[in-house]
């Protein structure tokens, strides 16, 4: 089991949770795995948190609940107390054994970010590596980007069956790049835009995505077919199609659903599964968001008659 795959269980032990919290895993950076986990305990058993195994990795934490007068520990010593406000972002270096006293309800998102993931962002020749992240104990950051990504992934954590892997990869790649730039001194790429994919590449990618409407393919798998980095592939795909891969895939699901809804004998639940949605509820939410009306309404209007089977 990889470090990222085990992160939820380690975090559960760290926070003395009864059960391992849910996690989403991505390996979108040259095989380097990252994870995001949501933790919550409204009635914790008071005491000092556990310890993570020391490793060259970082944890980015988005606090979803106020935690006043938090007693913070580092390298086995109590170093300070600080108020932790909801909505703030904190960074922790796992080499320093960050810990804190658990004595009140907590609710947070934790992103596991190994150093190798940051290094993977700087693969171009002569591009400097990401420096030390600004992991200042007790110092929170008002980070709107982390809040936005966190809110999106929080929904994915609560509905994992409805979340395609391309979306997880996309959001975690965005988080990694943001953290590297905002807290590690990485400068945004200034190289000339290399444009989109070649027509034959676009054709092949679209065929691959259409063959997997359920969204099990990862960005790493697709980019590797063209020997491209994840970031370059994602950028080039968006230039060529106008959408990032996960949004393009959602549009294809809707397109497939529309074709299937011309068949009167298929129920909406059957259409949902056939078009790659997790269930009818998922299908209805996405279709309504993209098209502007519910699937049932669209179908009745398209057929020009009352829907015979729901």
């Amino acid at each position: 089991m990889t470090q990222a795959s085990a992160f939820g269980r380690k975090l559960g032990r760290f926070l003395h949770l009864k059960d391992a919290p849910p996690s989403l895993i991505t390996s979108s950076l040259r095989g380097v795995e990252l994870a995001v986990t949501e933790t919550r305990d409204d009635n914790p058993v008071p005491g000092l948190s556990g310890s993570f195994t020391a490793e060259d990795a970082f944890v980015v934490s988005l606090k979803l609940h106020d935690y006043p007068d938090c007693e913070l520990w580092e390298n086995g010593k109590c170093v300070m107390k600080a108020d932790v406000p909801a909505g703030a972002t904190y960074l922790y270096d796992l080499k320093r054994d960050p810990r804190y006293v658990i004595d009140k309800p907590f609710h947070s998102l934790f992103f596991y970010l190994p150093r190798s993931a940051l290094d993977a962002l700087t693969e171009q020749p002569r591009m400097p590596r990401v420096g030390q992240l600004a992991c200042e104990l007790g110092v929170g950051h008002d980070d709107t980007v982390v809040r936005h990504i966190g809110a999106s992934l929080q929904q994915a954590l609560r509905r994992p069956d409805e979340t395609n892997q391309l979306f997880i990869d996309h959001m975690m790649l965005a988080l990694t790049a943001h953290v590297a730039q905002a807290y590690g001194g990485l400068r945004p790429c200034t190289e000339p835009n290399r444009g989109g994919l070649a027509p034959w590449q676009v054709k092949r990618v679209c065929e691959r995505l259409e063959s997997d409407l359920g969204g099990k393919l990862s960005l790493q798998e697709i980019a590797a077919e063209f020997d491209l980095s994840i970031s370059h592939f994602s950028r080039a795909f968006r230039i060529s199609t106008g959408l990032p891969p996960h949004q393009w895939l959602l549009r294809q699901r809707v397109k497939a659903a529309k074709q299937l809804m011309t068949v009167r004998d298929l129920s909406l639940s059957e259409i949902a599964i056939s078009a790659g949605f997790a269930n009818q509820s998922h299908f209805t939410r996405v279709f309504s968001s993209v098209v502007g009306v519910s699937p049932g309404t669209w179908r009745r209007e398209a057929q020009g008659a009352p829907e015979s089977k729901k």
Side-chain angles (χ1 to χ4, degrees), residues 175-188:
L175 176 91
T176 304
H178 171 70
V179 169
Q181 292 176 15
Y183 306 106
L186 179 67
R187 295 182 179 180

Side-chain angles (χ1 to χ4, degrees), residues 285-298:
R285 280 197 303 276
V286 173
F287 189 95
S288 300
S289 175
V290 172
V291 180
V293 297
S294 71
T297 298
W298 187 92

Side-chain angles (χ1 to χ4, degrees), residues 104-119:
K104 53 187 73 73
F106 61 82
H107 187 192
S108 302
L109 283 181
F110 288 91
F111 299 89
Y112 172 75
L113 190 59
R115 162 63 68 178
S116 51
L118 298 173
D119 292 341

Side-chain angles (χ1 to χ4, degrees), residues 198-245:
W200 68 269
Q201 291 176 317
V202 175
K203 182 175 183 295
R204 183 185 296 182
V205 171
C206 292
E207 288 174 349
R208 287 279 277 137
L209 292 174
E210 288 177 330
S211 71
D212 180 50
L213 289 177
K216 302 302 181 184
L217 282 173
S218 69
L219 283 179
Q220 180 192 21
E221 291 176 287
I222 301 174
E225 292 188 17
F226 305 101
D227 195 29
L228 298 174
S229 70
I230 302 300
S231 56
H232 179 205
F233 166 75
S234 298
R235 188 165 52 248
F237 184 90
R238 186 165 191 162
I239 291 172
S240 296
T241 66
L243 294 168

